[in-house]
Amino acid sequence: NIAMFDLLTGLPNRNMLQFQLKKCLAALERQRGSVAVLFLDLDDFKKINDSKGHAAGDQLLVEAATRLRACIRNSDIACRFGGDEFVVVLSEASEPDYPQQVARRIFDAFKQPISLGSQLLYISTSIGLTSTDNPHASPDELIRQADMAMYEAKDQGGNSAQLYDQQMYQRLAKRLVLESEIKEAIELKQFSLSLQPQIELSTGRLSGFEALLRWQHPVRGTVTPDEFIGILENSPQMIELGYWVF
């Protein structure tokens, strides 16, 4: 039981997820159909954990698991993947839009507040979806695709669902390269500041400057801020570079 189920929520854990997903994919050899995977993450869960404490966070996870279970059929599987992440496997997804139907059910379920003692908390979720009709598909690859789509949903502001496509992988690969190159750029002093004058229109007086961060890459040339600022803001290098700017 400990090996295959999550002790907090009672849902199957990552080990059971792998076992069941392999079974669902193998069944596609006997009967045509498709298997869909949904990867869910609770939006801003860390803030609730930090502000209300881990006991409250645990209660929230238990309630989230209960609502998730209620949104799927008995033949489907809901698992706790780890932390505030859950994975749902929809077997025999004969209706083409069944995964989207389940995603809508989950969103509706989370619209209701969650009661923690005397407090009511509202929490939303971001969902990534992928599906396959290939019995030889890799369980790890399907989970990775759904996870990638979930992060795309988070980038769109959360409380939404995104379907995996190949471009997501290309964007992620580009992002990983940029993250690595940002570390080098700081060490090799490739960043610079451009000071843009701010003019008071009524008098024409120079009232100050806006400091703009610029990156001169030895191979790419000038990397525009819209390419790297979003990545930088979500990386540990943001603090280091922030101090450099000051």
Side-chain angles (χ1 to χ4, degrees):
N1 195 55
I2 289 171
M4 290 294 186
F5 290 88
D6 175 55
L7 294 178
L8 176 66
T9 63
L11 291 179
N13 63 15
R14 203 181 291 199
N15 293 334
M16 181 65 98
L17 168 64
Q18 285 280 345
F19 176 71
Q20 294 289 357
L21 188 47
K22 283 177 185 172
K23 277 178 63 177
C24 292
L25 289 168
L28 294 177
E29 288 195 292
R30 299 187 302 274
Q31 184 176 356
R32 289 185 63 183
S34 65
V35 172
V37 175
L38 280 66
F39 200 109
L40 293 83
D41 181 273
L42 302 182
D43 297 328
D44 295 326
F45 176 75
K46 188 177 184 301
K47 289 181 184 176
I48 292 171
N49 235 359
D50 291 345
S51 61
K52 309 295 180 188
H54 286 277
D58 285 351
Q59 285 181 52
L60 196 150
L61 289 172
V62 170
E63 177 60 25
T66 301
R67 293 186 183 193
L68 203 51
R69 242 193 236 108
C71 293
I72 60 176
R73 306 167 302 189
N74 289 335
S75 58
D76 299 327
I77 306 150
C79 307
R80 185 182 177 201
F81 195 72
D84 63 325
E85 295 176 333
F86 298 86
V87 173
V88 173
V89 178
L90 307 176
S91 57
E92 303 165 21
S94 50
E95 299 171 59
D97 69 335
Y98 179 60
Q100 286 83 357
Q101 289 177 30
V102 172
R104 286 193 291 271
R105 274 185 230 153
I106 293 168
F107 288 133
D108 287 342
F110 278 90
K111 281 178 184 174
Q112 301 303 315
I114 292 175
S115 176
L116 294 181
S118 59
Q119 287 188 306
L120 290 177
L121 291 179
Y122 289 87
I123 193 160
S124 61
T125 181
S126 298
I127 303 176
L129 304 95
T130 191
S131 63
T132 185
D133 56 4
N134 178 10
H136 306 295
S138 159
D140 285 331
E141 177 63 16
L142 286 173
I143 293 166
R144 188 183 67 83
Q145 289 177 3
D147 187 17
M148 214 180 293
M150 181 274 292
Y151 274 105
E152 193 85 5
K154 274 207 177 300
D155 284 345
Q156 303 298 322
N159 195 28
S160 64
Q162 286 287 330
L163 189 63
Y164 172 80
D165 64 54
Q166 188 61 31
Q167 288 181 330
M168 289 179 188
Y169 175 76
Q170 292 164 353
R171 283 195 293 271
L172 179 65
K174 184 180 177 183
R175 183 188 186 102
L176 292 173
V177 169
L178 272 176
E179 281 179 1
S180 174
E181 289 185 341
I182 283 171
K183 292 178 187 177
E184 288 182 8
I186 295 172
E187 291 171 12
L188 300 175
K189 297 182 170 53
Q190 293 172 2
F191 286 104
S192 63
L193 293 176
S194 293
L195 299 179
Q196 179 166 278
Q198 294 178 321
I199 306 296
E200 197 175 80
L201 291 179
S202 57
T203 63
R205 184 178 67 87
L206 174 68
S207 62
F209 292 91
E210 182 181 7
L212 305 172
L213 189 63
R214 294 290 180 260
W215 180 8
Q216 192 64 31
H217 192 280
V219 178
R220 298 170 188 263
T222 302
V223 183
T224 59
D226 62 326
E227 286 184 77
F228 71 85
I229 290 292
I231 295 170
L232 183 61
E233 285 177 337
N234 292 297
S235 76
Q237 281 68 48
M238 185 66 196
I239 295 171
E240 185 182 351
L241 195 58
Y243 277 120
W244 176 85
V245 169
F246 290 138

